[in-house]
Amino acid sequence: MKINVINMAVFSVILALGTSCNQKSDQDEKIAALEQKIAQLETNSPVATPVNAQATQVADPSTLGAFAFPEEEYDFGAINEGQVVEHIFKFTNNGQAPLVISNITASCGCTSPDWSKAPVKPGDEGFVKVVFNSSAKSGAQAPTVSIQANTNPAVTRLRLKGTVTPKIAGAATPVGPVKR
């Protein structure tokens, strides 16, 4: 009887692991497809010109900075729910003018960015720090941050990715004061 129960438990674990691996690759494919659609919309969408708009000129390359990131995606692997992941994306300004980051927005409230606030001179290095809080998150995660700067293109995206293992139900930490 015990052997049958053990065999069933082992079979259940193997089945669950096989299913989660398939789901992860499926989710990665969906994320990649959505990112491609976003990139197409940004580059191919016709821009409506307001009636009162002034004529604009193409930006002079000598007035632009240029990001050179060694990596634009960081895989944090598998973590437990509630853990906080922090990663610093370093970059070099390969442009002809000081690079100025005007704003960075995160894809969700679970992600918070910090960055080099001072202009980064040509040839110098700067950073974008991304902090991901996995509380109340589970499964495959891929938070992004969008950087707005004096670059071409004007928006650059960085991404964290990984899997969050959910907490076991009923194994929550005690609430309130703890007797010692």
Side-chain angles (χ1 to χ4, degrees):
M1 177 86 171
K2 286 184 182 179
I3 294 175
N4 286 341
V5 171
I6 293 172
N7 286 340
M8 288 297 285
V10 169
F11 177 73
S12 298
V13 169
I14 292 171
L15 182 64
L17 288 174
T19 304
S20 67
C21 290
N22 289 339
Q23 289 174 346
K24 183 178 178 191
S25 66
D26 186 41
Q27 289 173 343
D28 286 343
E29 290 172 10
K30 288 179 182 178
I31 290 170
L34 287 172
E35 287 179 345
Q36 286 177 344
K37 287 180 183 177
I38 290 171
Q40 287 175 346
L41 288 173
E42 288 177 346
T43 57
N44 296 337
S45 63
V47 179
T49 305
V51 176
N52 61 349
Q54 297 177 356
T56 59
Q57 297 178 10
V58 176
D60 179 8
S62 66
T63 64
L64 297 178
F67 284 119
F69 284 99
E71 62 174 348
E72 292 185 14
E73 179 177 281
Y74 173 71
D75 188 345
F76 59 81
I79 62 171
N80 293 323
E81 180 181 346
Q83 283 186 292
V84 176
V85 174
E86 179 179 303
H87 184 70
I88 297 176
F89 293 92
K90 293 185 179 186
F91 65 87
T92 303
N93 178 4
N94 285 348
Q96 298 176 18
L99 193 152
V100 179
I101 298 175
S102 57
N103 193 27
I104 297 184
T105 54
S107 61
C108 70
C110 61
T111 308
S112 59
D114 188 20
W115 63 92
S116 302
K117 303 291 194 269
V120 179
K121 295 177 183 175
D124 285 355
E125 288 189 351
F127 73 92
V128 174
K129 180 171 106 175
V130 181
V131 179
F132 169 67
N133 185 346
S134 67
S135 294
K137 300 286 181 187
S138 65
Q141 300 294 316
T144 60
V145 292
S146 298
I147 306 168
Q148 298 170 353
N150 64 329
T151 57
N152 187 15
V155 177
T156 304
R157 282 192 180 70
L158 302 175
R159 181 171 89 143
L160 298 178
K161 74 175 188 174
T163 305
V164 178
T165 305
K167 289 182 181 176
I168 299 172
T173 56
V175 177
V178 178
K179 260 187 180 177
R180 294 184 186 206

